[in-house]
Amino acid sequence: MQTLQSFESRNFRLFFSGQMISMIGSFMAETTTAWLVYSLANIVWQSYIKVA
């Protein structure tokens, strides 16, 4: 199959695998950062409501 011909090269397979792992890591970092910001903002918001 011509569309998958590039996967015959070992170097390309290594490059592709590395890029996939990197993208997964970037997604995890972005997700956890958003979760942390949401958690901290929620805690601050709850403390303002308790003071008022």
Side-chain angles (χ1 to χ4, degrees):
M1 192 180 257
Q2 191 170 4
T3 55
L4 299 176
Q5 186 177 3
S6 55
F7 282 104
E8 293 176 7
S9 170
R10 180 180 182 271
N11 287 337
F12 182 78
R13 287 193 310 265
L14 290 173
F15 170 76
F16 187 80
S17 301
Q19 288 297 311
M20 291 296 292
I21 291 169
S22 177
M23 287 180 63
I24 290 169
S26 296
F27 173 75
M28 289 172 62
E30 189 173 333
T31 303
T32 53
T33 302
W35 173 77
L36 179 63
V37 169
Y38 174 76
S39 297
L40 293 175
N42 196 17
I43 290 170
V44 170
W45 181 252
Q46 287 176 356
S47 65
Y48 282 136
I49 291 174
K50 289 178 184 176
V51 170

